[in-house]
Amino acid sequence: MRVVIAGAGSVGRSIARELLSHDHEVALIDKSPAAMRVAQVPEADWLLADACELPTLENAQVAEADVVVGATGDDKANLVFSLLCKTEFGVPRTVARVNNPRNEWMFDQSWGVDVAVSTPRIMTAMVEEAVAVGDVVKIFTFHQSGADILELTLPPSSPLVGTRVGAIAWPADTVLAAIVRGPLPIAPSIDDTLEAGDELLLVTGRDVDTAALQKLLVEPPSRA
């Protein structure tokens, strides 16, 4: 897979190193000479230029990229880079870094962004996940589809403790994607049984009833 990354700062270089370790082809673009730390990621292709200009993207062979990543510290640059890659070069998938959460509403298909990654939002979700057993926490939103990844740690009082996955009537547009039990991720089958303390990762549609989901997972049945 070929990936072109705009922004060769610490974030861009970290992404590049990770992708290269998985045998992907990576190009890094940055207009700042100070960012040209080629020795830190020697396996990548480097380009000293403005990623928001068409000639730069042509030189970087963006048209041949499978994915592009806007990883600069400037939200405007990440948006313009994503839009040009999507509209001018037809890149199949664009990922953009959101630096200021107040700008997150712009990172959608209208600006050519398929996936927006907001570090503050992810960190907030991780904090909530760490302290909130029994609460549904939104981890990630796919901007192209509107689907969400939700997490919930199953409390001991949950009515689903001891229940087979195949016996659970999930709300519409809800899929149990993974169970994390201790250090082990589990791909759930219909015969797996939920246990107290399980971390459930669910993929839901944009119109899912989160209140109904919370009730299903957490609230014990009422006693007559």
Side-chain angles (χ1 to χ4, degrees), residues 85 99 188:
C85 289
N99 297 278

Side-chain angles (χ1 to χ4, degrees), residues 57-134:
L57 301 182
E58 291 173 353
N59 290 338
Q61 298 179 323
V62 165
E64 300 176 12
D66 301 287
V67 182
V68 297
V69 182
T72 79
D74 184 338
D75 285 345
K76 290 181 292 184
N78 292 339
L79 284 172
V80 172
F81 171 73
S82 298
L83 184 63
L84 290 176
C85 289
K86 180 66 74 173
T87 59
E88 299 295 327
F89 297 94
V91 175
R93 192 160 184 82
T94 61
V95 179
R97 171 188 177 190
V98 184
N99 297 278
N100 187 337
R102 289 181 295 181
N103 296 332
E104 190 173 1
W105 64 274
M106 292 188 290
F107 284 72
D108 58 17
Q109 282 184 290
S110 63
W111 278 94
V113 177
D114 295 319
V115 178
V117 180
S118 171
T119 301
R121 176 181 287 275
I122 291 173
M123 292 183 69
T124 299
M126 292 299 102
V127 170
E128 290 178 337
E129 184 272 335
V131 299
V133 174

Side-chain angles (χ1 to χ4, degrees), residues 113-175:
V113 177
D114 295 319
V115 178
V117 180
S118 171
T119 301
R121 176 181 287 275
I122 291 173
M123 292 183 69
T124 299
M126 292 299 102
V127 170
E128 290 178 337
E129 184 272 335
V131 299
V133 174
D135 287 339
V136 174
V137 177
K138 182 184 294 186
I139 300 294
F140 191 81
T141 298
F142 295 95
H143 283 263
Q144 186 171 10
S145 64
D148 294 318
I149 296 179
L150 308 179
E151 186 275 347
L152 178 135
T153 300
L154 212 60
S157 59
S158 169
L160 297 186
V161 171
T163 304
R164 290 173 57 253
V165 170
I168 301 171
W170 298 102
D173 299 328
T174 300
V175 175

Side-chain angles (χ1 to χ4, degrees), residues 194-211:
L194 298 184
E195 298 179 4
D198 282 350
E199 292 184 53
L200 308 183
L201 294 179
L202 303 117
V203 180
T204 64
R206 68 175 71 196
D207 298 322
V208 71
D209 187 342
T210 53

